[in-house]
Amino acid sequence: MVSKEILGNVSSRILCFNGEMGAGKTTLIKALVRSLGGGDQANSPTFGIVNEYQTQKGELLGYHFDFYRLESEGEALDLGLEDYFSQDTWVFIEWPEKIGSQLPQNYTRISLEIVDPVTRKIEITKAD
């Protein structure tokens, strides 16, 4: 299973997903949340910007941000972004380039590239 392989190869619980629209960022996050015990609750927070996920036992699993609609990094700060990063939980971020200077030093970048309509190339790298 791809999601379990990814979880076994990340250096941080803050995961930043890069890829063009339709590359499968949200789909991959859904699979990761499922693998972490969150069931099928994951969906894109495009309009709400952030979703909170819990395990099936009701414990906090993590947060999922979609910064596609952000106009400035200041909007992310207004959400209390630093507080989310300081928690000991998973943080999934779509469109992290929108908050570039606000990203913590220790995060894992997951890049998705469309190979063909059903195939994606996934690359995992630790942030500098």
Side-chain angles (χ1 to χ4, degrees):
M1 177 176 272
V2 172
S3 58
K4 289 189 180 194
E5 286 180 53
I6 290 171
L7 292 170
N9 286 294
V10 297
S11 59
S12 167
R13 293 175 79 183
I14 298 175
L15 308 180
C16 294
F17 296 81
N18 295 92
E20 63 185 88
M21 187 77 70
K25 297 179 291 294
T26 301
T27 299
L28 180 55
I29 292 169
K30 286 179 181 184
L32 294 170
V33 168
R34 194 171 22 256
S35 290
L36 290 166
D40 292 324
Q41 65 179 313
N43 56 43
S44 178
T46 300
F47 294 100
I49 299 181
V50 62
N51 284 345
E52 179 180 305
Y53 301 136
Q54 298 177 352
T55 66
Q56 292 178 331
K57 295 179 181 181
E59 300 164 340
L60 179 63
L61 186 148
Y63 300 99
H64 177 184
F65 292 91
D66 185 334
F67 291 129
Y68 180 74
R69 294 184 169 277
L70 233 57
E71 297 291 329
S72 72
E73 289 185 8
E75 289 181 58
L77 291 175
D78 291 344
L79 291 171
L81 189 62
E82 294 167 334
D83 293 334
Y84 289 102
F85 289 156
S86 67
Q87 295 184 40
D88 184 27
T89 189
W90 290 94
V91 178
F92 309 101
I93 302 173
E94 295 187 55
W95 305 101
E97 60 273 17
K98 297 273 195 158
I99 60 156
S101 70
Q102 302 304 318
L103 289 171
Q105 288 184 325
N106 183 32
Y107 68 89
T108 301
R109 178 181 294 117
I110 300 176
S111 300
L112 289 91
E113 179 183 333
I114 299 172
V115 175
D116 62 43
V118 295
T119 308
R120 303 296 185 264
K121 177 182 175 186
I122 301 173
E123 183 178 347
I124 301 170
T125 55
K126 183 178 178 183
D128 299 330

